[in-house]
Amino acid sequence: MVKFLKPNKAVIVLQGRYAGKKAVIVKSFDEGTRDRPYGHCLVAGIKKYPSKVIRKDSAKKTAKKSRVKCFVKLVNYQHLMPTRYTLDVDLKDAVSADALQTKDKKVAACKATKARFEERFKTGKNRWFFTKLRF
Amino acid sequence: MQKKTHESINNRLALVMKSGKYTLGYKTVLKSLRSSKGKLIIIANNCPPLRKSEIEYYAMLCKVGVHHYNGNNVDLGTACGKYFRVCCLSIIDPGDSDIIKSMPGDH
């Protein structure tokens, strides 16, 4: 009886181009909107996971390997698998509901989330989120 | 001893069917869990293990009890008074029944 599809929840996208990729809920629309009359949420996810970084790597190589490619998408609840993990990254100012209106707003939002995700990856926290789901 | 509790579940379920709100079927069970409307989930024993695990995981996130019904989907459908098979069902409002108070300890 506890609502769990809340912002900062880590989810796995199940359908579409990003199926199998991990994402974090930025904003949830439980009642839906006029364009989407079903429960859905705005997620920011990882399009391309960062590679495995080993101790032997030079600084340049670590920088190259830690790159994260992101996506921002509105996804139906039915096409998400919620997990017990959360990701406390403040994405509300980077990603907003109108970020998906125009292409350049979307690119800007993706760039901002990319920066946030990369800095979170470098701290070594939330390791589960940045590892690829094997299936 | 097992038969007695089994009958009591059937009686409670019949009362829920009569006086309460419920949904039958996998899709609506997940919907009720996502919207946190479900109060108790009942799963038949021949439910495919992947589906069973998925429902249990959602219920764990929701902190909602899951009851593994002692019977297959045919029996569960009959217990609900329906003429079709029911693999999983979600009780939204128990009505006059005390099924939620007496069942959740079960797993």
Side-chain angles (χ1 to χ4, degrees):
Chain A
M1 261 184 295
V2 174
K3 243 178 68 57
F4 52 86
L5 286 168
K6 290 204 268 227
N8 291 335
K9 183 66 130 174
V11 296
I12 300 177
V13 180
L14 294 174
Q15 306 273 13
R17 198 155 47 115
Y18 302 115
K21 304 282 196 287
K22 297 180 188 167
V24 63
I25 296 181
V26 176
K27 189 163 178 358
S28 62
F29 304 93
D30 283 334
E31 304 303 319
T33 59
R34 193 125 57 80
D35 306 318
R36 287 172 175 257
Y38 46 80
H40 62 283
C41 53
L42 184 60
V43 296
I46 302 182
K47 200 171 5 173
K48 192 160 173 200
Y49 290 92
S51 322
K52 196 162 169 56
V53 173
I54 51 181
R55 203 151 57 103
K56 199 156 84 138
D57 287 335
S58 63
K60 198 166 84 159
K61 213 158 189 189
T62 356
K64 197 147 199 229
K65 278 189 180 178
S66 316
R67 284 191 303 195
V68 174
K69 233 176 163 177
C70 299
F71 66 88
V72 170
K73 192 169 168 52
L74 280 171
V75 190
N76 190 345
Y77 281 159
Q78 285 203 353
H79 303 149
L80 292 174
M81 180 70 206
T83 65
R84 61 182 169 92
Y85 298 96
T86 55
L87 190 77
D88 302 314
V89 174
D90 189 21
L91 288 168
K92 273 188 284 292
D93 45 341
V95 179
S96 58
D98 63 334
L100 294 165
Q101 240 102 15
T102 61
K103 188 85 189 271
D104 40 335
K105 274 200 215 165
K106 190 168 177 186
V107 168
C110 284
K111 279 214 173 98
T113 55
K114 177 185 155 78
R116 305 270 166 91
F117 280 168
E118 275 182 8
E119 73 173 279
R120 184 51 70 93
F121 173 66
K122 290 198 174 103
T123 64
K125 296 205 195 115
N126 307 117
R127 204 167 291 234
W128 177 84
F129 187 75
F130 294 103
T131 45
K132 190 165 158 178
L133 186 68
R134 311 265 333 182
F135 60 93
Chain B
M1 178 76 114
Q2 209 181 31
K3 188 129 190 242
K4 199 155 163 223
T5 50
H6 189 223
E7 279 173 9
S8 76
I9 297 169
N10 285 352
N11 293 340
R12 293 198 173 92
L13 206 51
L15 193 48
V16 173
M17 294 296 135
K18 211 162 35 150
S19 62
K21 287 202 182 53
Y22 56 91
T23 63
L24 308 172
Y26 171 63
K27 271 174 82 169
T28 55
V29 162
L30 289 188
K31 265 197 177 158
S32 74
L33 284 170
R34 272 186 218 118
S35 60
S36 55
K37 289 214 170 62
K39 308 243 176 348
L40 178 67
I41 313 291
I42 301 179
I43 307 182
N45 68 1
N46 66 342
C47 182
L50 183 59
R51 187 182 289 194
K52 180 157 52 167
S53 308
E54 191 178 356
I55 297 178
E56 284 173 353
Y57 194 78
Y58 269 78
M60 176 269 290
L61 290 174
C62 251
K63 303 200 208 313
V64 161
V66 169
H67 180 257
H68 293 97
Y69 186 72
N70 189 6
N72 62 7
N73 48 6
V74 180
D75 301 333
L76 189 49
T78 313
C80 297
K82 307 286 180 194
Y83 291 111
F84 46 80
R85 296 174 285 266
V86 169
C87 193
C88 41
L89 70 100
S90 161
I91 295 173
I92 296 175
D93 175 19
D96 299 325
S97 175
D98 62 345
I99 193 170
I100 301 212
K101 291 180 233 33
S102 59
M103 280 308 138
D106 193 313
H107 200 253

